[in-house]
Amino acid sequence: RERSTLKSTDTRMGKNVAIIGGGISGLACAQRLSESNDIIDSITVFDTGNRSCGGRASSRVYPKAGFEFDHAAQYFSVKDENTLFSRYCRAAIDRNELYVIDNDRYGIISPGNNAQKFDDDGLVRYASVDGFRAFVRHLEDSFLDVASDNKNKIERPQWVGSMRKCGNKKWVLANTQDQTRKNYRELGEYDFVVIAHNGKCAFNLMKTAVNTENANESPKILQALKASFGIKPREVLYKKRELVLSSIWSVNVAIGNLDEETMQKLDAFDGAHVVENERLAYIGNNTLKKKKKKKKKTETVREITLLSTPLYGKRNKCPQEAIPEAVANKVKLDLVTELEKTLNIAPDVLNNNIVFSKLQLWGAANGLTVANTEYLLDTNASVGVCGDWLTTDDQSPSVETGMHSGWLLAEAILNKPTENHLQVKWKPVQNASALGLTVPGADLPDPPPEEEAMTRNNKKSYNRQRRRGRRKPTSSAPRAAMPSRACVRVARF
């Protein structure tokens, strides 16, 4: 740790706080900060979600079509039942936000009908039948309700593209850095800023964090927020000195008009990790999860979430804000075809009976490296960072590490520390599955050697083209060959 020149009696630390990012970590930070009204005057959470906060711990609901999907987080696990997070989860059960999943209904599917259920592996796993909406809503309400004068608030959807220090040492946030643009709008002045998201967006935001002399207020936080994307071999990850993020496709389909045999195959489990498959990583049956609590009658349509491997996400990456129709159709066909193969369903039976579909590309889905520290704090700059990738544990980034990071950063702010907390020591995550969960037997494999070589060659080619003043090549990695058909019978857990 570095010693700061900030005195413990300095009252500018944490009066009006802005939290940029309304995911689990940012909301947990807001929740804890709100418990000390004598120190914090107001809390504003900025989030880009159109429908709700929560980030990847959220769901998509389509009222007109009558469908809903857990389009990212499917469940999360807790190994130590004596932690604050574990106690929080048990309280969430009492509030009907979570339930403990039946390990007999979840597991791993591999070629050759090797279905392995989790059974009694020592882990307690939690899920939510409403896509974690109630879980997230409680976090929101816990800090909004504290301030009866409405000083605490959520600004959504709101993009924050600039933060700069003004003469009074406060941070001025704005929607864009370019003050000449017609849509430029300032979002208020704040004593302290928490960055609760990651990737290039967080890095680019921190690049704008300059003072009146146009110097960056926290070069070390800027360096720590540097990120790259793609799946890399473990030996390469050990050498990386930055956050490495993978990309995941989420394909959500409602499938109807199915015969009894096909329905039985889809209903053999609530959720399954798919291994030895370069495209498909996870199958989630949203319909069965809803039935457990709502006790619905037998449905004739199944709401299925398919999550891709990071390797497939890398090979089929595109602008996630505007997915081209051709790419969406290809990804949907690919992953539903893999579902048919995995469950030994005849070709096109599922593809020909899709009655509804929505796709999303999580461009910065799961961290493949972690910072080996639980939060970042620059007391001189009045900036902090929290997130699931800020953890000292061997476990992968998760809901637990995200909430833990948010809570600890809030504690540090409330304690008015005199020391910075800025040292990071990057390391690869241990035993990470494609979904970012630690799942024994479903570890993320290294990419094929030719994939890594191809990435390096493309980067060299791009640099040569840029030096010559030409446009970036539009060609991408060649399309992967279709994996061999897995001879899998009905996998029952």
Side-chain angles (χ1 to χ4, degrees), residues 363-417:
N366 301 314
L368 302 180
T369 55
V370 291
N372 204 29
T373 188
E374 292 162 319
Y375 61 91
L376 299 174
L377 175 63
D378 191 325
T379 56
N380 290 321
S382 296
V383 177
V385 183
C386 59
D388 59 2
W389 54 281
L390 288 159
T391 175
T392 58
D393 296 334
D394 287 335
Q395 68 187 87
S396 304
S398 63
V399 173
E400 180 174 8
T401 61
M403 290 193 71
H404 190 62
S405 176
W407 284 333
L408 288 180
L409 175 59
E411 289 286 351
I413 295 171
L414 295 174
N415 290 333
K416 297 182 180 179

Side-chain angles (χ1 to χ4, degrees), residues 321-377:
E321 296 82 8
I323 300 173
E325 184 178 358
V327 175
N329 291 336
K330 174 188 179 299
V331 171
K332 179 172 66 174
L333 176 64
D334 285 349
L335 294 192
V336 175
T337 298
E338 293 305 318
L339 173 63
E340 293 171 336
K341 293 178 180 179
T342 301
L343 301 185
N344 200 25
I345 296 173
D348 295 329
V349 167
L350 301 182
N351 270 309
N352 291 341
N353 287 285
I354 296 174
V355 297
F356 179 87
S357 65
K358 285 289 182 180
L359 281 72
Q360 179 163 352
L361 174 62
W362 294 99
N366 301 314
L368 302 180
T369 55
V370 291
N372 204 29
T373 188
E374 292 162 319
Y375 61 91
L376 299 174
L377 175 63

Side-chain angles (χ1 to χ4, degrees), residues 133-145:
R133 289 196 300 278
F135 185 78
V136 170
R137 194 177 303 116
H138 177 78
L139 284 171
E140 294 177 351
D141 293 343
S142 63
F143 80 89
L144 292 176
D145 290 348

Side-chain angles (χ1 to χ4, degrees), residues 71-303:
H71 63 148
Q74 302 294 307
Y75 66 88
F76 56 86
S77 58
V78 176
K79 188 174 183 180
D80 187 351
E81 285 292 287
N82 297 315
T83 62
L84 175 62
F85 178 71
S86 180
R87 294 194 293 272
Y88 187 89
C89 290
R90 291 196 292 271
I93 291 178
D94 296 336
R95 297 191 298 265
N96 295 318
E97 298 165 9
L98 301 176
Y99 70 93
V100 177
I101 70 173
D102 182 356
N103 283 338
D104 287 344
R105 298 289 303 165
Y106 287 77
I108 298 171
I109 293 181
S110 59
N113 194 28
N114 294 318
Q116 178 184 352
K117 60 185 179 181
F118 288 144
D119 204 9
D120 297 324
D121 58 2
L123 291 178
V124 179
R125 296 177 175 86
Y126 296 91
S128 173
V129 294
D130 67 350
F132 299 103
R133 289 196 300 278
F135 185 78
V136 170
R137 194 177 303 116
H138 177 78
L139 284 171
E140 294 177 351
D141 293 343
S142 63
F143 80 89
L144 292 176
D145 290 348
V146 170
S148 58
D149 53 3
N150 296 321
K151 285 187 176 181
N152 295 348
K153 57 185 177 179
I154 296 174
E155 296 287 350
R156 177 183 60 80
Q158 181 59 63
W159 172 262
V160 179
S162 170
M163 52 185 288
R164 56 183 173 83
K165 273 283 182 72
C166 54
N168 61 1
K169 302 298 184 180
K170 291 180 179 289
W171 286 107
V172 177
L173 303 187
N175 62 336
T176 179
Q177 186 179 12
D178 187 356
Q179 299 184 32
T180 64
R181 294 180 59 174
K182 290 183 178 180
N183 67 335
Y184 174 82
R185 183 166 64 91
E186 292 187 353
L187 305 173
E189 295 185 355
Y190 300 90
D191 300 286
F192 197 92
V193 173
V194 173
I195 298 177
H197 63 112
N198 56 30
K200 291 182 178 179
C201 295
F203 179 75
N204 289 335
L205 174 63
M206 195 61 207
K207 283 202 301 185
T208 71
V210 296
N211 53 31
T212 53
E213 298 177 355
N214 207 34
N216 195 279
E217 277 286 278
S218 184
K220 290 203 170 182
I221 284 187
L222 176 64
Q223 179 63 29
L225 288 174
K226 185 180 179 182
S228 61
F229 298 85
I231 180 171
K232 303 179 186 298
R234 183 163 293 274
E235 62 268 19
V236 175
L237 291 176
Y238 273 110
K239 299 175 183 178
K240 299 296 288 187
R241 297 294 181 266
E242 62 187 6
L243 176 63
V244 180
L245 294 161
S246 64
S247 300
I248 299 291
W249 277 99
S250 175
V251 175
N252 304 282
V253 291
I255 307 173
N257 305 315
L258 301 174
D259 58 42
E260 184 176 352
E261 180 183 358
T262 303
M263 294 279 278
Q264 288 178 352
K265 293 177 179 179
L266 287 174
D267 289 350
F269 48 81
D270 291 3
H273 295 265
V274 183
V275 297
E276 301 180 36
N277 192 310
E278 289 190 350
R279 296 181 174 184
L280 182 61
Y282 187 85
I283 306 167
N285 191 325
N286 297 277
T287 305
L288 291 190
K289 290 174 72 174
K290 288 190 298 181
K291 284 173 61 179
K292 291 183 181 303
K293 184 174 182 180
K294 299 181 180 180
K295 298 180 180 179
K296 285 191 173 185
K297 297 180 180 180
T298 301
E299 299 277 357
T300 58
V301 176
R302 290 293 178 265
E303 298 149 295

